[in-house]
Amino acid sequence: VCNTLSNSATISDEYKLHQLSPYVGKLKSFTASAIVSRFSDPGDLIVDPFSGSGTIPLEAKLLGRSTFSSDVSDYAKVITLGKLSAPDDIRTASDRLMRLIVLAGREPMPDLRRVPAWVRSFFHPLTLKESIQFADVCLRLREYFYLSCLLGILHHQRPGFLSYPSSHLTPYLRDKKFPQGDFPDMYEYRDYRPRILKKVERALSNGYLRKTVENQGLKHEFRRSSIDRLTWPEKFGAVITSPPYMNALDYGRDNRLRLWFITRQESHRVDDRNISSRVKFESAMEVMARESARGLRVGGFLIIVIGELVDRGRQANTAQIARDVFNRNEGISFVSEELNPIPDIRRARRNCIAVKDEVLLIYKKK
Ligand SMILES: C[S@@+](CC[C@H](N)C(=O)[O-])C[C@H]1O[C@@H](n2cnc3c(N)ncnc32)[C@H](O)[C@@H]1O
């Protein structure tokens, strides 16, 4: 069976909360919403072991499901928990933000000699010091929504952002395109306070605050873990996830500046733990099949959205590896497949490794 998921809704219709901070390889929120509604019931516990920017957990929450999500990346942790803990009224949000700003102002001034030169190269020194103070307070108080807002305005070339001119998705300085001599205002001090207030308001706009979420008895849990070490919940209603396409994306390198603010370490550690080979990918799919066969309720779905990868001319068919592994497991049975072509806007890099199509693999607990 091969259908095509509808792609008619556009990114401008989605809740701005999905755009809290950029994430390479993010799933479309409409895809996540359609899958969660079709393959689970209100009140179900949804498991997403590769949560990334938390698209599936957020849509599941908005549809009245409990969530258990996990990811190996600290950035994924901050942004997933940031989305799940977003305030539900604007007054509470701005009061809390003001309080955090006051606390940040009382933090010791960071010593920039301890900050790596590549991080310093992105910011005016005072902007950097104040941003570190704010990040420190958020980290200490586990205020992941406000920390995600800071990360979401960390680098870009627009006036609402904090860095010197830079790209947004991945951090590359654009000082050749915008030399300081010709664009002096792009290199001046930038006050994070009015900018983060605007970001908070933007994140909660677009109808999100009017969306009433039936929260009774629902729980949202996140574990930062690689899939091979994850302890799954006892019982769950559905597994819905989009695994990494082997080595198509470097989640650590691409998010290195935001990760530095969270961990104060170099980000290659994240890529070391990423699924980077066929063997690792296969064993991750084995975990998914085994845990689904064990913990899913009878008739519950295992759904993965996965790319058919073209690796510099060599076909490395990730979907086929997943199919082979799932078909070998006797506790789950194949239901169907659907094709979901990725619009060009989602293709992060050109002339590099490309993901051709997304396929939805649908399995069921016997
Ligand atoms: C395709 S992305 C998920 C995107 C997510 N659905 C979203 O909308 O943002 C895959 C995720 O797998 C994570 N990942 C890579 N290797 C992992 C591993 N061994 N264990 C757990 N997570 C891993 C990456 O950090 C990345 O966030």
Side-chain angles (χ1 to χ4, degrees):
V1 186
C2 202
N3 301 317
T4 303
L5 272 180
S6 161
N7 270 320
S8 54
T10 65
I11 284 174
S12 62
D13 298 328
E14 75 178 0
Y15 293 121
K16 289 282 185 282
L17 191 52
H18 279 296
Q19 297 159 25
L20 195 55
S21 191
Y23 204 88
V24 175
K26 181 170 146 177
L27 194 67
K28 281 169 284 165
S29 59
F30 297 105
T31 306
S33 160
I35 296 172
V36 170
S37 328
R38 273 176 60 195
F39 298 105
S40 67
D41 297 320
D44 270 350
L45 172 62
I46 312 288
V47 178
D48 179 357
F50 301 106
S51 86
S53 64
T55 315
I56 293 166
L58 175 61
E59 280 301 323
K61 176 186 170 183
L62 293 171
L63 290 162
R65 276 72 166 164
S66 289
T67 64
F68 177 93
S69 49
S70 173
D71 198 290
V72 74
S73 155
D74 289 289
Y75 179 44
K77 168 185 166 177
V78 168
I79 186 166
T80 298
L81 287 173
K83 285 179 182 176
L84 290 173
S85 65
D88 45 24
D89 78 277
I90 198 73
R91 186 65 197 269
T92 311
S94 51
D95 286 355
R96 187 70 193 140
L97 177 66
M98 291 313 149
R99 180 81 195 125
L100 294 172
I101 288 175
V102 169
L103 292 175
R106 292 186 195 150
E107 286 285 296
M109 259 300 167
D111 179 355
L112 291 193
R113 287 171 305 185
R114 295 179 153 183
V115 175
W118 71 268
V119 175
R120 277 186 272 133
S121 72
F122 278 88
F123 302 96
H124 183 283
L126 185 55
T127 308
L128 179 55
K129 284 180 186 173
E130 292 181 346
S131 304
I132 292 175
Q133 287 177 312
F134 185 81
D136 282 346
V137 168
C138 291
L139 282 166
R140 201 163 56 241
L141 300 179
R142 298 189 185 149
E143 290 282 6
Y144 296 123
F145 171 71
Y146 301 93
L147 181 54
S148 298
C149 286
L150 180 81
L151 300 177
I153 58 165
L154 207 56
H155 51 89
H156 203 341
Q157 65 217 28
R158 296 204 192 131
F161 290 74
L162 299 173
S163 69
Y164 294 150
S166 151
S167 43
H168 185 40
L169 191 59
T170 59
Y172 291 104
L173 276 172
R174 291 200 167 141
D175 47 354
K176 300 240 162 38
K177 190 169 178 198
F178 303 103
Q180 188 162 10
D182 298 340
F183 300 90
D185 52 324
M186 292 178 108
Y187 293 82
E188 282 168 5
Y189 161 70
R190 297 197 169 193
D191 189 343
Y192 80 96
R193 288 160 282 218
R195 290 177 169 85
I196 201 166
L197 177 60
K198 280 218 172 98
K199 174 70 193 180
V200 166
E201 288 167 353
R202 216 162 46 237
L204 300 177
S205 66
N206 222 18
Y208 174 73
L209 295 175
R210 288 196 302 277
K211 169 95 191 163
T212 30
V213 182
E214 186 53 75
N215 268 325
Q216 272 179 352
L218 298 183
K219 284 207 181 108
H220 303 286
E221 200 180 325
F222 179 93
R223 300 265 173 83
R224 201 195 57 71
S225 169
S226 67
I227 188 156
D228 50 318
R229 293 186 186 166
L230 182 65
T231 307
W232 291 52
E234 194 57 32
K235 283 269 162 269
F236 37 92
V239 179
I240 301 176
T241 196
S242 58
Y245 310 140
M246 295 204 273
N247 56 354
L249 302 167
D250 300 312
Y251 298 98
R253 200 188 64 196
D254 288 346
N255 294 309
R256 59 192 174 275
L257 196 49
R258 299 185 185 96
L259 272 166
W260 184 85
F261 270 78
I262 300 168
T263 64
R264 308 297 151 85
Q265 287 172 342
E266 301 292 335
S267 51
H268 52 77
R269 278 183 48 243
V270 173
D271 287 331
D272 292 347
R273 285 170 297 169
N274 267 346
I275 288 177
S276 53
S277 67
R278 187 194 170 100
V279 174
K280 281 190 187 168
F281 183 78
E282 214 168 9
S283 73
M285 292 306 107
E286 268 156 16
V287 173
M288 299 259 301
R290 191 180 62 234
E291 290 295 332
S292 300
R294 180 200 56 78
L296 269 177
R297 67 167 147 75
V298 174
F301 288 98
L302 158 63
I303 312 283
I304 67 167
V305 184
I306 193 165
E308 304 263 21
L309 191 79
V310 185
D311 186 351
R312 295 198 183 95
R314 264 184 305 129
Q315 188 85 21
N317 195 333
T318 36
Q320 192 53 45
I321 299 171
R323 274 181 207 109
D324 291 345
V325 170
F326 293 173
N327 289 338
R328 278 203 300 269
N329 190 302
E330 293 185 350
I332 53 174
S333 56
F334 174 75
V335 177
S336 67
E337 284 191 19
E338 301 188 6
L339 259 186
N340 178 32
I342 309 173
D344 279 338
I345 192 171
R346 287 282 170 224
R347 289 176 200 263
R349 299 215 197 109
R350 289 187 201 112
N351 308 324
C352 195
I353 298 168
V355 175
K356 217 171 50 178
D357 280 315
E358 271 178 344
V359 188
L360 201 67
L361 302 186
I362 306 167
Y363 284 76
K364 208 175 189 174
K365 164 87 177 266
K366 281 185 188 163

